[in-house]
Amino acid sequence: GMGRRKAIMTKTITFACLHFSVAFGVAYALTGSALIGGAMALVEPVINTVVFYFHERAWRRWDAGRAGSLQAA
């Protein structure tokens, strides 16, 4: 229901905030630069999203190939 959707959205938003904070904290700790930390906090999740898309495509192909080989057996 609507309560479940709200909980999922809240969890997603809080995880995004945590992700941005970690990216910023790691980059800041390594460089001492708030500018670089901020840039990494914005850029890293975008890159991860693109990588995730291709990762999912690869897994779908692997699953499809595996299902085909199981049917042939």
Side-chain angles (χ1 to χ4, degrees):
M2 193 59 140
R4 176 87 175 123
R5 285 188 204 139
K6 186 175 179 183
I8 291 170
M9 185 55 71
T10 301
K11 184 178 177 182
T12 300
I13 291 168
T14 58
F15 182 77
C17 291
L18 183 63
H19 190 140
F20 292 140
S21 299
V22 169
F24 175 84
V26 169
Y28 181 75
L30 291 174
T31 66
S33 169
L35 181 63
I36 292 174
M40 285 299 297
L42 296 175
V43 171
E44 188 270 342
V46 172
I47 293 170
N48 255 343
T49 300
V50 173
V51 169
F52 179 78
Y53 170 78
F54 288 108
H55 180 261
E56 285 296 305
R57 284 187 62 181
W59 271 103
R60 275 191 299 243
R61 281 188 182 159
W62 185 80
D63 282 342
R66 192 167 159 224
S69 67
L70 291 175
Q71 289 176 354

